[in-house]
Amino acid sequence: MKLVCSQSSLSANLSLVSRAVSSRPSHPVLANILLIADEALQQVKLSAFDLSLGIQTSFPADVVTGGKLTLPAKLLTDIVSRLPEGDITLEDGNDEATNAADTNFLTTLTCASGRYQVRGMSAEEFPELPVVEEGEVAHLSVESLIEGLRSSLFSASSDETKQVLTGVHLTMQADGLEFAATDGHRLTVVQTVNADAIEGGAKPLDPEKALDVTIPAKALQELAKMLERQTVSNVAVHFDHSQVVFEWTDQRLTSRLLEGQYPNYRQLVPRQFSRQITAERRLLLSALERIAVLADQKNNIVKLTLDSTSQLLTLSVDAQDVGSGKETIPAQITGDDLDVAFNVKYLMDGLKAIATTEIQIQLNTATSPAIVTPLGSIKMTYLVMPVQVRGN
Amino acid sequence: MKLVCSQSSLSANLSLVSRAVSSRPSHPVLANILLIADEALQQVKLSAFDLSLGIQTSFPADVVTGGKLTLPAKLLTDIVSRLPEGDITLEDGNDEATNAADTNFLTTLTCASGRYQVRGMSAEEFPELPVVEEGEVAHLSVESLIEGLRSSLFSASSDETKQVLTGVHLTMQADGLEFAATDGHRLTVVQTVNADAIEGGAKPLDPEKALDVTIPAKALQELAKMLERQTVSNVAVHFDHSQVVFEWTDQRLTSRLLEGQYPNYRQLVPRQFSRQITAERRLLLSALERIAVLADQKNNIVKLTLDSTSQLLTLSVDAQDVGSGKETIPAQITGDDLDVAFNVKYLMDGLKAIATTEIQIQLNTATSPAIVTPLGSIKMTYLVMPVQVRGN
């Protein structure tokens, strides 16, 4: 194998696939990146796979002799990222004349200033990235995907024991995608409009075959990052009962699906509310951030006092022995006055994930779920449970 | 006590003195900041002290009633930094009318949007910052101080058991300041020109009274940061056998001195060299950074090969089982050819602390000290010992 490529494309593509390299690989080859140099296509394909998440990317290169091998991900990425801009030659130890393979998989990287040799491993040992051949295909709008992921990912659980809750649930509906994420304490549901429908868009949706999967949040975080750097407007999604593959131009992300029934979240969202607050998002968020300094000393509880007569929302915290705080902001409030307490971190998380100038909080009582929604933007519902406080 | 000040000056001054608040205070009051409101001067003075490092700063404020108290550093800094720009009112619970003191030291902070109460402690419990009354006074140029500190601090030891080596040794000489720092593996000596001399500059220097102290690196790091934000050109330094005080306009930094004899470092620097390399600093540093990726896998050793015939300096690393690397850069080399090995991190540290385009490495043999110096800038000597490698 021998190829010449630019430092910038090799470096960018290495750091891209590196995200799928396990930090504690269960097999030595999984600490490596698979490199396939295709002489006919004059391109290089890099793959990394931690047995759950897989990332593949291709870029043009001057491939003198095709071939494949695996190279240590961290070492190669660290060296290449520090090289000056310019051409890099990669060559393995296989002897073309005698067709003798180098069993050390010693690969030589040459650039203007120097020469590095790195020990690789056989490409044969590298596991194939999952392929979905028999499953369904959907086409999703990149804009909707990014929007839905960015608004929902923060609500997924980071506690690995919570299994299905460590993912985001994606449902394809008649005219869009629905994203849901919950860690058991709060829930985000986002509905986005999807320009395209299931392949062969004219057919009515077959509910048996529609997209209805739970994908690990970690894979979707990588997907969102990759898509944000793309100029494509659509991605193809292939899925069956255990795997999902997102695919576009030169890149591919595969992920296992999370097994188990996702909670029936739609029934958790109340349909009617007796109280409503409309407030400026930034004003409310920065007041909560100050209140959080004191709440952090105690139990993270902030008390909201709704006063519809004065049209003022008061936030207060009482951290005994340390101090207390009170902030008042103007708000449009309808419904009877009420004191209701929340975990201040959950409220802040929701407000940070929203981009609009104004938000709306709707609720019924101090013990029933409240929902936060952006005003005049995507359809997002953020549900939080109030906290029960003595004397409430 | 009652005062009104701007959020920006209170926040900036709080974060400044916070650097001297211990993260693990030996007494509860040391987690606090001492605040003194002076009605006559119409200014507020903040002090923090971890019993080794002390920082004091003053700023103008509208002081309605003078007074003093201590307040929790982290809590106060975190709240004030999150407040919007505007006036802040600080008021303690002392009742002026009855002259009754509030034994809870509950202080109220009021701003446009809200009101916070924070529990403080009596100012009486706060230890006085050290004052040097009988000692000597020197006036140092801020430019020289910053330059000397920035070029030497990185060589001080971060290992607390190394006592005197955790500091930087400062010596006032006839026409300048000398800074020395060593962790036992490398040594930096910087000579700076000092416009001013000992107070009453006309007198010859009394060697008994001249500045010759070892100051903890931590205190000097804070000093460098504070001075970089200053516009003053000179600072006064007061010192005796146990304390040093740096003082200018509205600020003051005090530090204990490190006890014990500082190593006689001047005798370590060779006076004559048989070999000399002049190279472009950035070119050498970036080649070392790539070599370091592989050296990091092994024992951090980089081999330098001096070739005066070709005027090339070759850097190489051999991390068995992982790989190897070689970089060649152009250099002006005098003296016989030589292979010499160094700890790559020490070489990189020295090159990073230098700002010039070109550097010079001077050495005699593969087992005697080498020195790195900037070309055409301040007088700085960075000494590193080669590493003994089998076969050298």
Side-chain angles (χ1 to χ4, degrees):
Chain A
M1 189 202 76
K2 183 176 179 181
L3 65 97
V4 183
C5 64
S6 77
Q7 181 271 343
S8 55
S9 35
L10 182 58
S11 184
N13 283 283
L14 278 173
S15 74
L16 188 79
V17 295
S18 287
R19 312 286 308 180
V21 176
S22 168
S23 52
R24 292 185 205 160
S26 53
H27 184 283
V29 83
L30 297 180
N32 285 12
I33 284 170
L34 174 68
L35 187 152
I36 301 177
D38 190 319
E39 206 177 321
L41 294 175
Q42 287 290 299
Q43 71 171 22
V44 171
K45 184 154 80 180
L46 302 178
S47 313
F49 187 33
D50 66 8
L51 300 182
S52 169
L53 169 68
I55 300 179
Q56 201 166 73
T57 171
S58 302
F59 60 96
D62 178 5
V63 180
V64 182
T65 326
K68 55 182 176 177
L69 85 168
T70 78
L71 290 169
K74 185 160 173 10
L75 210 61
L76 193 64
T77 311
D78 285 353
I79 294 174
V80 172
S81 68
R82 287 168 174 79
L83 285 172
E85 177 58 72
D87 275 353
I88 291 178
T89 307
L90 263 181
E91 194 168 5
D92 68 5
N94 291 339
D95 190 331
E96 263 183 273
T98 62
N99 209 14
D102 167 21
T103 51
N104 280 325
F105 300 101
L106 213 54
T107 302
T108 307
L109 184 156
T110 319
C111 62
S113 68
R115 191 166 174 274
Y116 292 83
Q117 286 203 307
V118 178
R119 206 169 291 272
M121 288 179 78
S122 162
E124 309 307 320
E125 294 190 46
F126 200 86
E128 292 265 353
L129 258 66
V131 182
V132 175
E133 278 178 353
E134 295 294 305
E136 300 303 313
V137 188
H139 287 273
L140 306 182
S141 130
V142 167
E143 200 187 329
S144 300
L145 254 179
I146 294 177
E147 188 176 70
L149 291 175
R150 286 286 169 229
S151 314
S152 61
L153 271 164
F154 74 99
S155 282
S157 177
S158 52
D159 177 353
E160 280 305 319
T161 65
K162 291 213 174 173
Q163 307 193 11
V164 82
L165 299 191
T166 61
V168 173
H169 190 76
L170 256 78
T171 326
M172 171 77 99
Q173 298 183 317
D175 55 351
L177 270 176
E178 182 169 287
F179 300 75
T182 176
D183 61 3
H185 302 289
R186 64 309 198 18
L187 161 73
T188 305
V189 184
V190 186
Q191 271 122 19
T192 64
V193 179
N194 195 46
D196 296 285
I198 294 280
E199 188 128 295
K203 292 189 292 189
L205 263 170
D206 176 352
E208 291 286 302
K209 293 184 173 178
L211 184 70
D212 185 7
V213 294
T214 310
I215 305 174
K218 183 183 179 283
L220 292 176
Q221 253 139 14
E222 297 308 328
L223 179 67
K225 274 186 212 148
M226 287 170 77
L227 291 177
E228 277 164 359
R229 292 199 212 106
Q230 281 303 314
T231 50
V232 294
S233 60
N234 277 276
V235 300
V237 186
H238 306 254
F239 57 98
D240 58 17
H241 63 286
S242 69
Q243 293 288 337
V244 62
V245 178
F246 293 87
E247 209 166 17
W248 62 97
T249 336
D250 297 323
Q251 292 170 346
R252 207 152 89 90
L253 179 142
T254 73
S255 174
R256 75 186 164 98
L257 296 177
L258 290 172
E259 284 172 32
Q261 184 69 37
Y262 199 78
N264 185 2
Y265 57 86
R266 289 187 194 93
Q267 71 181 18
L268 299 175
V269 185
R271 279 148 201 262
Q272 290 198 321
F273 298 95
S274 57
R275 296 177 168 89
Q276 182 171 305
I277 309 163
T278 305
E280 222 180 282
R281 187 182 64 90
R282 273 183 200 285
L283 210 61
L284 177 58
L285 180 57
S286 56
L288 284 171
E289 280 170 343
R290 294 189 287 272
I291 289 286
V293 174
L294 278 163
D296 188 48
Q297 301 286 317
K298 191 81 180 174
N299 44 20
N300 281 316
I301 290 175
V302 57
K303 191 171 83 176
L304 272 61
T305 303
L306 285 62
D307 182 344
S308 60
T309 315
S310 62
Q311 295 284 293
L312 290 174
L313 176 65
T314 302
L315 316 171
S316 57
V317 58
D318 189 1
Q320 280 172 340
D321 306 330
V322 180
S324 60
K326 188 176 279 195
E327 294 262 353
T328 303
I329 62 165
Q332 296 161 43
I333 300 174
T334 59
D336 293 342
D337 293 354
L338 179 77
D339 281 2
V340 53
F342 292 98
N343 182 316
V344 67
K345 290 192 191 296
Y346 292 157
L347 281 189
M348 292 194 298
D349 283 351
L351 293 176
K352 281 181 198 161
I354 292 175
T356 57
T357 309
E358 286 191 312
I359 58 97
Q360 207 162 63
I361 303 176
Q362 292 169 295
L363 72 166
N364 288 308
T365 69
T367 54
S368 61
I371 69 164
V372 182
T373 46
L375 263 195
S377 168
I378 56 164
K379 231 183 141 189
M380 169 183 172
T381 305
Y382 181 60
L383 179 146
V384 265
M385 276 302 293
V387 185
Q388 302 253 25
V389 185
R390 238 180 316 163
N392 238 10
Chain B
M1 189 200 76
K2 184 176 179 179
L3 66 96
V4 183
C5 64
S6 77
Q7 181 271 343
S8 56
S9 36
L10 182 58
S11 183
N13 284 283
L14 279 173
S15 74
L16 189 79
V17 296
S18 287
R19 312 286 308 182
V21 176
S22 168
S23 51
R24 291 185 207 160
S26 53
H27 183 282
V29 82
L30 296 179
N32 285 12
I33 285 170
L34 173 67
L35 188 153
I36 302 177
D38 190 318
E39 206 176 321
L41 294 175
Q42 287 290 298
Q43 71 171 22
V44 172
K45 184 154 79 180
L46 302 179
S47 313
F49 187 33
D50 66 8
L51 299 182
S52 170
L53 168 68
I55 300 180
Q56 202 166 71
T57 174
S58 302
F59 60 97
D62 179 6
V63 180
V64 183
T65 326
K68 56 183 174 178
L69 85 168
T70 78
L71 291 170
K74 185 158 173 8
L75 209 61
L76 193 65
T77 311
D78 285 354
I79 294 174
V80 172
S81 68
R82 286 169 175 78
L83 285 171
E85 178 58 73
D87 276 353
I88 290 178
T89 306
L90 265 181
E91 194 169 5
D92 68 5
N94 291 338
D95 190 331
E96 265 183 273
T98 62
N99 208 15
D102 167 21
T103 50
N104 280 326
F105 299 101
L106 212 54
T107 303
T108 307
L109 185 157
T110 319
C111 62
S113 68
R115 190 166 175 275
Y116 291 84
Q117 286 202 307
V118 178
R119 205 168 292 271
M121 289 178 77
S122 162
E124 309 306 322
E125 293 190 45
F126 200 85
E128 291 265 353
L129 257 66
V131 182
V132 175
E133 279 177 354
E134 295 294 305
E136 299 304 312
V137 188
H139 287 274
L140 306 181
S141 129
V142 167
E143 200 187 329
S144 299
L145 255 179
I146 293 177
E147 189 175 69
L149 292 174
R150 285 287 168 226
S151 313
S152 62
L153 271 165
F154 74 98
S155 281
S157 176
S158 52
D159 176 354
E160 280 306 319
T161 66
K162 291 213 173 173
Q163 307 191 9
V164 82
L165 299 190
T166 60
V168 173
H169 190 77
L170 255 79
T171 327
M172 171 77 98
Q173 298 183 317
D175 56 350
L177 269 177
E178 183 169 289
F179 300 76
T182 175
D183 61 3
H185 301 290
R186 66 305 197 23
L187 160 74
T188 305
V189 184
V190 187
Q191 271 123 18
T192 63
V193 179
N194 195 45
D196 297 284
I198 294 279
E199 186 128 298
K203 293 188 292 187
L205 262 172
D206 176 351
E208 291 287 303
K209 292 183 176 176
L211 184 70
D212 185 4
V213 293
T214 311
I215 305 173
K218 184 183 178 280
L220 292 175
Q221 255 139 13
E222 297 308 327
L223 179 68
K225 273 186 216 150
M226 286 170 77
L227 290 177
E228 277 164 0
R229 292 198 214 105
Q230 280 304 315
T231 51
V232 294
S233 60
N234 277 275
V235 300
V237 187
H238 305 255
F239 56 99
D240 59 18
H241 62 286
S242 69
Q243 291 288 338
V244 61
V245 178
F246 294 87
E247 210 167 17
W248 62 95
T249 337
D250 297 323
Q251 291 170 346
R252 206 152 90 91
L253 179 142
T254 74
S255 174
R256 75 185 165 100
L257 296 176
L258 290 172
E259 284 173 31
Q261 183 68 37
Y262 198 78
N264 185 1
Y265 56 87
R266 288 186 194 93
Q267 70 180 20
L268 299 175
V269 186
R271 280 152 200 261
Q272 289 197 322
F273 298 95
S274 58
R275 294 176 170 89
Q276 182 171 306
I277 309 163
T278 305
E280 221 180 283
R281 187 182 65 89
R282 273 181 201 286
L283 209 60
L284 178 57
L285 180 58
S286 57
L288 285 171
E289 280 170 342
R290 295 189 286 273
I291 290 287
V293 174
L294 277 162
D296 188 48
Q297 300 286 317
K298 190 82 179 172
N299 44 20
N300 281 316
I301 291 175
V302 57
K303 190 171 82 175
L304 271 61
T305 302
L306 284 62
D307 182 345
S308 61
T309 315
S310 63
Q311 294 285 296
L312 288 175
L313 175 66
T314 302
L315 317 170
S316 57
V317 59
D318 189 0
Q320 279 173 339
D321 304 331
V322 182
S324 61
K326 189 177 278 196
E327 293 262 354
T328 302
I329 63 165
Q332 296 162 42
I333 301 175
T334 60
D336 293 342
D337 292 354
L338 179 77
D339 280 3
V340 53
F342 292 98
N343 181 316
V344 68
K345 289 192 192 296
Y346 292 157
L347 282 188
M348 293 194 298
D349 282 351
L351 294 176
K352 281 181 199 162
I354 291 174
T356 58
T357 309
E358 286 190 311
I359 57 100
Q360 208 162 61
I361 303 177
Q362 291 169 296
L363 72 167
N364 288 308
T365 69
T367 54
S368 59
I371 68 163
V372 183
T373 46
L375 265 194
S377 168
I378 55 163
K379 232 182 141 188
M380 169 183 172
T381 305
Y382 180 60
L383 181 145
V384 264
M385 276 304 291
V387 185
Q388 302 252 26
V389 185
R390 236 180 319 160
N392 240 8

